[in-house]
Amino acid sequence: DSGLLNENLYEGLEEDVVIAPLAELQGITAVASMRCFAGYAGKRLFFSENNTPGNWPHYLTLDDNICGIVESNGMLYVATDGHPYVVAALSDCESASCRQAVRLPEALPMAGCGPHAIVALPQGAAYVSHKGLVGIAGRSAPTIITQSLYSAEQWQRMVPKSMRLAVHAGKLFCFCQYSAFVLTLSGGSSAEWALDNHTELSDRPLDVFTTRTGELILRTATELQQWNAGVKRRPHLWESPELVAPAELNFGAGHVNLRGG
């Protein structure tokens, strides 16, 4: 309409200003408790505006380079090449700009940066470091949850940067270049392997992930395999630990209790 004034045309075309996500943004993660998305690049942790996934105006600058992030129980856990961090995910924030990062005290650099090396747990998060699997719960000091299972030398032989983590049926799976194992999580609801908290595995997948419906999928060079979905059981080799008695004993019998096999 040629009768409209320029100022009216301007108001009609005016749009909200949005900041697009960086092209180099990594690890984009949905944070339900924040009603936003999070991602990282270098030392910066970026957030989209609440309920506006196309607008990324907020970021926090950390002291360490970010290697992986994961959300659990309303907290965002951040693994870096230095200290781990925890970011409060307050649901009553009107804007993502009100989040704050807490730098946890001990430096535990992440080994093999990327989403494959960090995973959400029911009580927090776990990620791969050069010292072992690091467990974080809230703002408490991190712990090495594999410290009693593997010596420093054994852990390095497993090539930490090759490790892939996944959680399935109350267990934490770790697949490595030369070995693999599964840990029963505290408070896990799975009834399998009730007396077995740590088991070594023979699988060597290239990658592993858990589907939205909870299935554990292993990717080999030629196919995808679903955990615990075969029609027959695989052979299992059990090795007894070394048992030292205070006096000489004559073992006349052994008792093995098996369920489901």
Side-chain angles (χ1 to χ4, degrees):
D1 190 338
S2 59
L4 292 178
L5 299 176
N6 287 340
E7 60 187 59
N8 293 334
L9 287 173
Y10 171 78
E11 291 177 356
L13 295 173
E14 186 176 11
E15 298 178 356
D16 291 336
V17 176
V18 299
I19 298 178
L22 293 178
E24 58 267 35
L25 200 66
Q26 301 180 60
I28 297 177
T29 301
V31 187
S33 58
M34 293 184 180
R35 294 173 286 118
C36 68
F37 287 90
Y40 61 90
K43 295 182 178 181
R44 288 186 173 179
L45 181 64
F46 291 85
F47 297 98
S48 70
E49 188 56 271
N50 290 6
N51 305 311
T52 312
N55 187 18
W56 292 70
H58 308 296
Y59 64 84
L60 299 173
T61 302
L62 308 183
D63 294 330
D64 307 283
N65 291 299
I66 302 172
C67 292
I69 60 176
V70 72
E71 187 266 348
S72 175
N73 294 327
M75 307 290 284
L76 189 65
Y77 295 92
V78 182
T80 73
D81 61 357
H83 291 246
Y85 294 74
V86 179
V87 179
L90 303 177
S91 59
D92 58 351
C93 281
E94 296 180 358
S95 167
S97 61
C98 64
R99 278 93 197 197
Q100 292 183 342
V102 176
R103 189 175 192 242
L104 298 180
E106 185 177 357
L108 292 166
M110 185 177 183
C113 290
H116 58 270
I118 184 171
V119 67
L121 303 180
Q123 64 271 39
Y127 71 89
V128 179
S129 79
H130 295 284
K131 294 182 178 181
L133 286 185
V134 178
I136 316 174
R139 296 181 176 87
S140 302
T143 59
I144 306 296
I145 60 181
T146 53
Q147 190 167 22
S148 63
L149 301 172
Y150 298 98
S151 67
E153 182 180 355
Q154 289 173 326
W155 187 255
Q156 291 305 312
R157 286 203 302 264
M158 295 166 69
V159 189
K161 66 179 182 180
S162 74
M163 294 182 178
R164 304 286 190 269
L165 301 181
V167 171
H168 170 68
K171 299 182 184 300
L172 173 59
F173 290 77
C174 180
F175 298 96
C176 322
Q177 182 175 349
Y178 300 114
S179 60
F181 62 88
V182 56
L183 302 176
T184 300
L185 299 173
S186 59
S189 59
S190 174
E192 298 180 21
W193 312 342
L195 300 179
D196 192 353
N197 295 321
H198 168 250
T199 299
E200 293 185 355
L201 303 172
S202 59
D203 304 88
R204 303 290 183 270
L206 299 177
D207 205 354
V208 59
F209 63 94
T210 306
T211 67
R212 293 183 179 180
T213 52
E215 293 90 357
L216 180 65
I217 305 298
L218 281 60
R219 181 178 70 86
T220 68
T222 58
E223 60 184 357
L224 297 178
Q225 299 175 342
Q226 181 179 337
W227 180 264
N228 204 24
V231 295
K232 62 181 181 179
R233 298 183 183 273
R234 297 190 299 178
H236 183 81
L237 174 65
W238 180 80
E239 295 182 3
S240 169
E242 180 180 348
L243 304 174
V244 180
E248 183 177 351
L249 296 177
N250 179 22
F251 289 98
H255 181 201
V256 179
N257 182 18
L258 292 177
R259 291 184 180 180

